[in-house]
Amino acid sequence: MGPHPAVAAIRLAVRRVLHDILDAHPQPPAGDRPLVLVACSGGADSMALASALAFEAPKLGVRAGGITVDHRLQPGSDVRAEDVVLRLTSLGLTPAESVAVDVGRTGGPEAAARDARYAALDAAAERHGAAAVLLGHTRDDQAETVLLGLARGSGIRSLSGMAAVSGGPGAPGRYRRPFLQVDRQTARKACLVQHLPVWDDPHNTDPAYTRSRLRHEGLPALEKALGKGVVEALARTAQLSRDDADALDTWARDAAESVRDAAGLLECAKLYALPPAVRRRILRKAAIEAGAPAGALFARHIEEVDRLITGWRGQGEINLPGRVVAQRQGGRLVIRQG
């Protein structure tokens, strides 16, 4: 008799990702097996992921370890983090360690905690020479991310949710999300049948947090109105949006040089001839290259710059974040530090 269907589902998801990691990181000389870490909060999603990694990794010749991040936002968080380390160790993961971080205030509490967490995971991956870090985001998390992007109104890229593979400039494939096609209920069921203790973070039910309100009020209301397939449909929308956004990014990258003159300045007439989605990507990239912080550059900023091309009425320079200005000069668009 095979494992419970929920356990089989999580193991299959992890097995597929481990094969991808091995394909991307050919095994070095004998005795130096690749290491894959799991980021584990102690919640059902990441505990299910840790258990699946512990089961599948040895079969493929992969070393498996675990990291838990103590955000120090709640009393007793250090004790809880050590408890997670004990659970990871009992699954056979090594190294298994807790890393404490200081959460700042930039961008709000959720964004600040996320930034601190990823910085700690990046550092841990570098320290241990890990080939990848697995994250326990589920299909439900993906659906929530799509809705949050929709509420921001910042275009198709914000609807594409979380990538199955992501990472920073130095490690583009570091983060893997095996559970993006696995629902939250399956992960929880897998923990239950394996008798894995889980910790439910009170922040996940705190109405002070936007994602929490969406999870416990917004999505249930949508499911009540539209039916139970909403989460799956939103996750599918994320993948379709990601494919479209990637194609448009490639188009914009290829077109970027063709709209510049011999001096490297953007020609308004050539920009005007491009589809808006491609043109705005070129403008956004030019603003970032001039010094505008990507995180502070919103759709409304790019729309204002776009009007210098499509709605030219002699308007003056446009102020952008990072003290960057955009100005039309004699049929050319100049984006520079002010």
Side-chain angles (χ1 to χ4, degrees):
M1 183 176 175
H4 186 280
V7 176
I10 63 168
R11 288 177 178 176
L12 176 60
V14 168
R15 191 183 319 140
R16 286 171 172 164
V17 167
L18 289 180
H19 278 297
D20 288 344
I21 293 169
L22 286 172
D23 288 344
H25 297 81
Q27 201 151 323
D32 192 11
R33 298 175 298 151
L35 170 66
V36 173
L37 299 173
V38 58
C40 185
S41 67
D45 303 341
S46 59
M47 279 303 300
L49 182 57
S51 71
L53 176 63
F55 182 83
E56 294 291 339
K59 295 159 66 176
L60 295 175
V62 172
R63 290 184 295 135
I67 303 291
T68 188
V69 178
D70 175 11
H71 296 85
R72 299 197 282 197
L73 296 175
Q74 303 166 12
S77 64
D78 54 338
V79 176
R80 194 158 44 247
E82 288 305 319
D83 183 54
V84 173
V85 170
L86 289 175
R87 294 185 207 174
L88 296 175
T89 303
S90 69
L91 287 171
L93 299 183
T94 180
E97 65 181 36
S98 165
V99 181
V101 297
D102 292 315
V103 176
R105 297 182 178 180
T106 304
E110 291 165 283
R114 183 176 61 249
D115 289 346
R117 180 165 60 252
Y118 277 102
L121 293 174
D122 277 334
E126 294 287 346
R127 189 166 63 251
H128 293 291
V133 178
L134 305 189
L135 303 173
H137 298 118
T138 64
R139 190 168 66 186
D140 300 74
D141 294 308
Q142 186 73 300
E144 292 160 10
T145 303
V146 172
L147 284 175
L148 289 169
L150 182 63
R152 284 197 298 272
S154 50
I156 195 171
R157 179 57 76 185
S158 70
L159 300 183
S160 63
M162 295 173 284
V165 181
S166 65
R174 170 169 290 160
Y175 293 107
R176 310 282 176 138
R177 296 176 174 86
F179 285 178
L180 287 184
Q181 300 303 320
V182 176
D183 62 47
R184 190 175 287 144
Q185 188 175 1
T186 297
R188 186 169 285 276
K189 184 68 174 177
C191 289
L192 182 67
V193 299
Q194 294 181 103
H195 307 290
L196 294 173
V198 299
W199 171 67
D200 290 314
D201 187 346
H203 281 168
N204 290 337
T205 56
D206 187 343
Y209 293 91
T210 306
R211 188 178 284 269
S212 172
R213 293 195 302 274
L214 183 59
R215 180 174 301 178
H216 296 285
E217 300 171 26
L219 262 175
L222 277 176
E223 288 184 334
K224 185 177 179 182
L226 302 175
K228 286 290 184 183
V230 169
V231 167
E232 186 177 357
L234 286 168
R236 190 164 58 250
T237 295
Q239 186 55 57
L240 293 171
S241 298
R242 181 168 296 278
D243 292 344
D244 289 351
D246 288 346
L248 288 166
D249 285 349
T250 300
W251 187 353
R253 198 161 47 243
D254 292 345
E257 289 308 311
S258 68
V259 296
R260 292 184 182 273
D261 64 13
L265 294 176
L266 293 165
E267 296 188 60
C268 295
K270 290 181 178 179
L271 284 167
Y272 185 87
L274 291 172
V278 177
R279 181 175 61 244
R280 287 173 182 171
R281 279 168 165 76
I282 293 173
L283 297 179
R284 176 179 171 80
K285 187 170 186 293
I288 292 170
E289 288 175 348
L297 200 58
F298 301 130
R300 59 182 171 82
H301 294 126
I302 303 305
E303 286 166 8
E304 280 191 72
V305 178
D306 197 38
R307 279 194 287 273
L308 292 177
I309 298 159
T310 62
W312 175 241
R313 300 289 185 273
Q315 57 265 47
E317 62 184 32
I318 305 295
N319 292 312
L320 300 173
R323 293 184 301 169
V324 170
V325 297
Q327 188 175 22
R328 181 165 173 149
Q329 294 178 348
R332 303 292 186 269
L333 184 69
V334 179
I335 303 178
R336 55 177 172 75
Q337 281 282 335

